[in-house]
Each structure stands twice: as structure tokens, then as C-alpha cells.
Amino acid sequence: ASFLGPVDLTDLDGLFSDREKTTAMRVRGFVDEVIRPNIADWYDRAVFPAEIIPELGRLGVLGMHLEGHGCPGRSAVEYGLAAQELEAGDSGLRTFVSVQGSLAMTAIHRHGSEAQKREWLPRMATGEAVGCFGLTEPTAGSDPASMRTRARQEPGGDWVLTGSKRWIGLANLADVAIIWAQTGEHGDGRGIRGFVVPTDTPGFRAEVIDQKLSMRASVQCEIQLDQVRLPAEAVLPADSAIGLKGPFTCLNEARYGIIWGVMGAARDSFEAVLDYAATRTQFGTPLAGYQLTQAKLADMAVAINRGYLLAHQIGRVKDREPRALTPAMISTGKLDNCRVAIGIARDAREMLGGNGITLDHSPLRHANNLESVRTYEGTDEVHQLTIGRHLTGLGAFTAG
Ligand code: TGC
């Protein structure tokens, strides 16, 4: 039997090594034991269970794809498989792991000084320290180059940060924030730099965004930066972090994890409705015995197989030759797998009928979460236009 269960129509199982499958099953065991029994309650009460963070550290999924400084150093495919198991539990859980590992830890690992790496990475890998990643602002979402947060360097070398960030995952729990700010006079993307900001620095404040209808078992915040004074060495020093390519190299990692993650939510939705259809009888026959049900199940399974094949292909390229992994390739996976996953979760809810609208069943929770996943780390339109630019050589992001 396939480790991916009944949805595996194309020997997906055969694409993965024993080590990769063992990693996936270990993460699944954690999700089954710790997440599934509690997720409906957390979602209902809109809480992120911070007590599981050290357990995620012990599971080895924090900064999983990074090597050195206490990080597990696993392959991109293993990381992807872990992401899809976590998101089969809930997108909020995978989001925590992405923000911590793909965004905050990657920023320090790739662009940080040796001292910054030593200070933060080992503790972030165990979950002892939590990180967040502040790029998006109230008026700068798809267009981060238009950010208003400013970093001014004083003659003595200190930096002073002023501005605000919005939709920042786990900022209220974070010990450290990677804040991207404009240092240049021109106010365009070229002057953007990243700063490692301990969240107990005076002037840093994170407020939880309430009343969300999506990602309820996760926390997103608005950050206020009011004259946050930092030493000269708080800046991420690498040349690779000067300009927008600094945050974008981190977003590539998070987008990569999403390509896999959303397939977990789709698979879980499919399994929920496959079980339901076998036992729910209407007009004297189990739903599974009706042609219309089987047509829907078949379409869902075919789409999920395609999504895993796409994730697997991109993951193998990333492991074999990371430089061959182009933004257009990542956009292809993020765009299509998110679209496919949300469609499957919605179809699964529909097949559950009225019973599908409560937290007794996962599909509507997944569909609501996927509204966020489809939007963050680049909307459909951002990814369509990234692919469009790759195909035509013409950037079409602005109307002018
Ligand atoms: P553009 O001129 O295209 O690029 C500027 C510089 O960046 C480089 N670059 C990339 N580098 C690596 N990977 C990529 N994917 C890259 N894309 C661009 C590019 O080569 C250039 O480098 P250089 O050396 O020439 O300076 O910049 P643009 O302003 O035209 O960008 C267009 C666009 C729309 C593609 C880009 O702005 C974009 O991707 N927008 C979407 C932003 C997004 O995904 N935001 C989500 C942020 S997530 C967040 O803040 C919260 S984290 C989640 C949580 O906390 O829960």
C-alpha cells in the first residue's frame, strides 16, 4: 500500500526513498497524536498552541532544510514531505514551521553574520526561540518595494527603525523579528535591508489581528516600530541581502514549502470525503455507489496526483541543482497547487452536505485556511505575472 493512501493512483509511493517516507510517517505520527485530537478546539477558540513548539523542534522540522548551527540539514524533498504532513493537520501548523524555518531562519542562515547565526539558529532549531519575518505592510502587500518602514543610520553607527508591518505570523510570540526596511534615499527596492530585531527592544510592539475567518489556529499580527534603536551589527550584512532579492530568496523557500503543504490539505479533504461516502447512505445506497460521487472522487484524486508530481519534480530539481530552481518554476507550483487544493477542499465540503459546515469534518477548515495560503507568499496574480514575465520577457506588474 502507498504511504500516501488511497489517493495514490500513479505509484507516487515509488518516487520516494525509504528515508523520505520514514520522515513523512514520523511527522504524520506527530500530527495524528498531537494535532488531530485538538485542532477543532484550537480552531474554534482561535488559539495557536505555543506549547507544541518544543515538540516541533524535537521532531526536527524547524529549519529542516538548513545545514549547520544546529539545523537538521535534510533534503528539500524531505522538507516538502514534512510540510504536506503538517498541512494535512492544519495550514496554521505548517505556516508556523514555514515562518520559523523558511523565512526567519533562512534569512539569518543565508544573509546573516556568523555572530547572528550563532546567537539565533541553534535556539530556533530547537524551538527555544521563535522568529518572525516582517516584509508586508498595511499599504505594501504585493508590492513590497513600496514599503514605508525606514531605517536611518546615525553617525555613531546605530540604526533607528520606524514604521509598521502587517500580517506577520507569530510576531506576538517571537523572540526575534527579521524586519525589512528602506534605507535608501530613492525609496525604491534597491535600498531595502534586513535587520535582526530582538522583540524586547524598546519601541517594538506586536498586536494580534482578531476576528479572522481563516487560519484560526494560527496568529497574525500588526507590528509597530516606534524609533526602534539597534546596534550597527543588527543589519543582515551579506551583499545577497541588499535590495528586494534579500527577502525574495526567503520567500522562495516558503513558497516551495507551500507547493507541498497544500497537497496535504487536499489529501486530507479527499480522505475525509472518501470515508464519508462509504458510510453515508441516501436513497438506500451509500454515496460512494453513485456515479456523480465517483466522478467527483476521480477528479479530485487525479488532481491530487498531478499536484504531488509537480511538487516532486520541483523538489528533485531543488535538491539536484538549487540554482536551476527559477522563480517561474516556484510560481508554477505555488499557483497551481494552491488553486487545486482549495478546489478540492471546497468540493469535499459540498459532498459532506450540511455535515460539512462544522468542525467535525476537516474540508471547510482546510478551504478557509487555503484562502490565506493562496493569498500570502504571492497571490495568484503575482505568480501568473511572474510566469508571464518569464514567458514573454516583459514585466506587466504595473499599469504604466
Ligand atoms: P523585481 O524587479 O522583479 O526584483 C527586484 C530584485 O529581486 C530579485 N528577485 C528575486 N530574487 C530571488 N527570488 C525571487 N523570486 C525574485 N524575484 C525577484 C530580482 O532579480 C531583483 O534583483 P536585483 O539584483 O536586480 O535588485 O521586483 P518587483 O518589485 O518588480 O517585483 C515584482 C513582484 C510582484 C514579483 C514581487 O514584488 C513579488 O513577488 N511580490 C509578492 C510579495 C509577496 O509574496 N509578499 C508576501 C510576503 S509574506 C510576509 O510578509 C508575511 S510572512 C507570512 C507570515 O508571517 O505568516
Side-chain angles (χ1 to χ4, degrees), residues 260-338:
W260 287 92
V262 294
M263 281 300 111
R267 179 169 56 84
D268 188 67
S269 300
F270 171 82
E271 287 175 0
V273 82
L274 187 65
D275 277 357
Y276 186 82
T279 54
R280 171 80 170 175
T281 296
Q282 290 291 281
F283 304 106
T285 304
L287 295 184
Y290 287 102
Q291 289 186 349
L292 287 176
T293 305
Q294 290 193 11
K296 287 175 186 160
L297 290 171
D299 284 350
M300 290 162 104
V302 167
I304 292 171
N305 277 260
R306 229 177 28 228
Y308 273 104
L309 289 169
L310 183 56
H312 172 266
Q313 164 65 10
I314 294 171
R316 292 287 182 230
V317 170
K318 191 172 188 319
D319 278 331
R320 205 172 47 234
E321 182 44 84
R323 272 175 303 182
L325 189 71
T326 61
M329 203 182 289
I330 294 175
S331 288
T332 301
K334 204 277 181 180
L335 172 67
D336 205 52
N337 280 8
C338 285

Side-chain angles (χ1 to χ4, degrees), residues 20-337:
E20 290 164 348
K21 287 187 267 192
T22 303
T23 300
M25 295 309 285
R26 208 160 44 81
V27 177
R28 189 179 302 175
F30 169 82
V31 169
D32 286 346
E33 194 183 320
V34 179
I35 306 303
R36 287 190 191 279
N38 298 303
I39 186 63
D41 177 52
W42 293 331
Y43 202 89
D44 193 31
R45 292 193 290 120
V47 293
F48 173 75
E51 64 276 12
I52 68 170
I53 296 173
E55 294 183 59
L56 290 167
R58 283 193 290 278
L59 196 61
V61 295
L62 303 179
M64 187 170 178
H65 63 298
L66 303 174
E67 194 138 21
H69 297 282
C71 299
R74 310 301 285 263
S75 71
V77 168
E78 283 178 285
Y79 175 45
L81 286 168
Q84 58 86 37
E85 293 299 338
L86 294 167
E87 197 146 356
D90 193 75
S91 300
L93 178 66
R94 200 270 309 141
T95 295
F96 169 75
V97 170
S98 289
V99 171
Q100 176 88 345
S102 298
L103 294 176
M105 292 175 75
T106 295
I108 296 171
H109 192 272
R110 188 169 292 203
H111 307 304
S113 66
E114 189 55 31
Q116 288 165 342
K117 292 178 194 178
R118 280 213 197 115
E119 179 174 4
W120 291 108
L121 292 178
R123 288 192 292 138
M124 292 172 85
T126 59
E128 198 186 323
V130 172
C132 68
F133 185 88
L135 177 67
T136 300
E137 302 191 351
T139 58
S142 292
D143 179 17
S146 67
M147 68 170 61
R148 294 182 181 173
T149 297
R150 290 286 182 273
R152 174 173 51 81
Q153 192 160 31
E154 297 201 327
D158 280 3
W159 290 95
V160 179
L161 269 54
T162 306
S164 60
K165 299 285 172 183
R166 189 165 167 85
W167 299 117
I168 308 308
L170 284 308
N172 62 323
L173 292 178
D175 301 284
V176 62
I178 306 301
I179 299 291
W180 300 93
Q182 184 61 257
T183 63
E185 294 156 15
H186 308 294
D188 62 11
R190 287 173 297 170
I192 289 172
R193 301 294 301 258
F195 295 86
V196 180
V197 184
T199 56
D200 58 3
T201 310
F204 182 100
R205 191 157 47 90
E207 280 167 26
V208 174
I209 299 171
D210 288 326
Q211 298 192 322
K212 285 180 302 165
L213 298 172
S214 172
M215 288 285 206
R216 289 177 57 78
S218 175
V219 181
Q220 281 71 38
C221 296
E222 180 143 331
I223 294 177
Q224 301 299 335
L225 301 152
D226 182 10
Q227 305 280 325
V228 174
R229 179 174 291 275
L230 302 166
E233 55 273 18
V235 72
L236 292 170
D239 284 352
S240 56
I242 299 174
L244 268 180
K245 64 182 186 300
F248 284 161
T249 50
C250 307
L251 293 190
N252 284 344
E253 293 295 334
R255 291 169 177 174
Y256 169 76
I258 291 170
I259 296 170
W260 287 92
V262 294
M263 281 300 111
R267 179 169 56 84
D268 188 67
S269 300
F270 171 82
E271 287 175 0
V273 82
L274 187 65
D275 277 357
Y276 186 82
T279 54
R280 171 80 170 175
T281 296
Q282 290 291 281
F283 304 106
T285 304
L287 295 184
Y290 287 102
Q291 289 186 349
L292 287 176
T293 305
Q294 290 193 11
K296 287 175 186 160
L297 290 171
D299 284 350
M300 290 162 104
V302 167
I304 292 171
N305 277 260
R306 229 177 28 228
Y308 273 104
L309 289 169
L310 183 56
H312 172 266
Q313 164 65 10
I314 294 171
R316 292 287 182 230
V317 170
K318 191 172 188 319
D319 278 331
R320 205 172 47 234
E321 182 44 84
R323 272 175 303 182
L325 189 71
T326 61
M329 203 182 289
I330 294 175
S331 288
T332 301
K334 204 277 181 180
L335 172 67
D336 205 52
N337 280 8

